[in-house]
Amino acid sequence: MQHQEGLRDVTADVAANVQAPLLRICGVTVRFGAIVALNDVSFDVRRGEILGLIGPNGAGKTTLFNCLSRLVDVERGTIELDGQPLLAAARHDIAGVGIGRTFQNLALFETMSVIDNVLVGTHVRGRGGFLSDAFRIPSLVEGERRARDHARAQIERLELTAVARTPVGGLPFAIKKRVELARALAAEPKLLLLDEPAGGLNHEEVGHLGDQIRTLRDAFGVTILMVEHHLNFVMQVSDRVVALDFGKTLAEGTPAEMQRHPEVIRAYLGAPT
């Protein structure tokens, strides 16, 4: 009987962990002087979902991303990642706790090759140090080999093999976007933050990106939080959508629900409710 009860307890714990949100944002407030950028923002991101974060310019989307990246301090509220307080993490440890990010303005090493840029993303999982680097110990050499194999796998997934040795600076914008995504995935994040992933892409490129994002989510089981102004893209790719307006949580629901939501329509179109 004791054994059965213990088994039920373990099973319940596992089920609770699966059902618990990966990211929990509760009452987050951020001020820049007299400007309230975020005002008591709260929502959850479920494990394995793609959540679109939308809102007009100035709604607070990028500020929230910067809070999650620890680039901006939170005045009030809490953020938990996988049940742990994220705001207690140091800024340089964000990749280590399981968050990867792409940026609205590309942040790549232009003179480095595609594979070297992606290898940067694997650094967080490395185990090197001054002495091991100096003496080239076997475990370090093996780790470097695994990192390179891992980087090549991301490059292949994102269809970048043909330009793997090419310096990033001379590549088309759409390919640079994929390089940055490959680098973020190379860190094996639990949560992937995509900041305007469709920005600057043409219609065909946007459609291809949407397919890639869903494929990557399914292949890696990574949870994705995405800020995007391209509403058709958000509605096609996201499982759920959260709308911000004037720094507040305006509404959340499925893409179909959000497209009919009167407050969301008002915020974007200025239509009466």
Side-chain angles (χ1 to χ4, degrees):
M1 180 68 71
Q2 253 185 343
H3 174 72
Q4 289 178 338
E5 288 177 355
L7 184 60
R8 281 197 295 270
D9 289 343
V10 171
T11 303
D13 288 344
V14 170
N17 185 57
V18 170
Q19 293 170 3
L22 177 69
L23 181 69
R24 176 162 283 163
I25 298 166
C26 184
V28 168
T29 297
V30 174
R31 299 175 191 269
F32 300 115
I35 298 172
V36 182
L38 294 173
N39 188 1
D40 197 30
V41 170
S42 299
F43 63 88
D44 293 342
V45 183
R46 301 165 186 165
R47 296 173 189 274
E49 80 171 337
I50 301 173
L51 181 70
L53 186 62
I54 64 172
N57 288 331
K61 304 182 300 296
T62 298
T63 298
L64 182 58
F65 258 37
N66 287 338
C67 291
L68 296 173
S69 302
R70 297 290 290 115
L71 299 175
V72 167
D73 290 327
V74 171
E75 178 181 308
R76 188 172 64 249
T78 60
I79 301 175
E80 290 184 359
L81 178 70
D82 210 4
Q84 300 300 314
L86 182 64
L87 300 181
R91 292 176 181 177
H92 60 269
D93 283 338
I94 286 302
V97 301
I99 293 180
R101 179 176 178 176
T102 66
F103 293 83
Q104 183 176 353
N105 298 315
L106 293 173
L108 295 169
F109 299 100
E110 297 276 304
T111 60
M112 290 166 52
S113 68
V114 168
I115 192 166
D116 286 339
N117 268 275
V118 177
L119 275 167
V120 170
T122 69
H123 176 73
V124 69
R125 303 300 172 199
R127 293 292 183 269
F130 176 76
L131 290 177
S132 57
D133 288 348
F135 291 102
R136 302 292 296 163
I137 63 173
S139 61
L140 175 67
V141 174
E142 174 61 19
E144 289 179 348
R145 184 194 64 76
R146 287 197 301 267
R148 192 163 288 274
D149 288 346
H150 184 59
R152 288 196 188 101
Q154 312 316 312
I155 285 170
E156 185 175 346
R157 283 187 183 277
L158 285 158
E159 303 172 17
L160 295 166
T161 304
V163 294
R165 300 290 178 182
T166 305
V168 164
L171 294 173
F173 182 74
I175 294 180
K176 289 182 179 180
K177 285 258 188 179
R178 277 189 274 151
V179 174
E180 192 173 46
L181 180 54
R183 184 180 63 186
L185 288 168
E188 301 179 71
K190 300 175 184 177
L191 176 67
L192 180 60
L193 307 178
L194 301 182
D195 194 352
E196 299 282 358
L201 303 183
N202 63 37
H203 180 74
E204 182 179 350
E205 291 165 344
V206 167
H208 187 49
L209 175 65
D211 292 339
Q212 282 185 321
I213 288 175
R214 281 200 164 273
T215 298
L216 292 170
R217 187 274 303 273
D218 296 340
F220 290 98
V222 65
T223 302
I224 298 174
L225 177 59
M226 173 177 63
V227 164
E228 183 56 66
H229 279 105
H230 195 304
L231 285 184
N232 286 338
F233 176 78
V234 173
M235 298 304 174
Q236 289 169 7
V237 174
S238 302
D239 299 308
R240 287 192 307 128
V241 178
V242 171
L244 299 182
D245 192 25
F246 293 108
K248 295 183 178 182
T249 311
L250 180 65
E252 63 178 281
T254 66
E257 289 169 343
M258 297 297 277
Q259 286 173 308
R260 298 191 301 267
H261 198 289
E263 288 295 324
V264 174
I265 294 171
R266 178 199 57 75
Y268 273 97
L269 303 178
T273 58

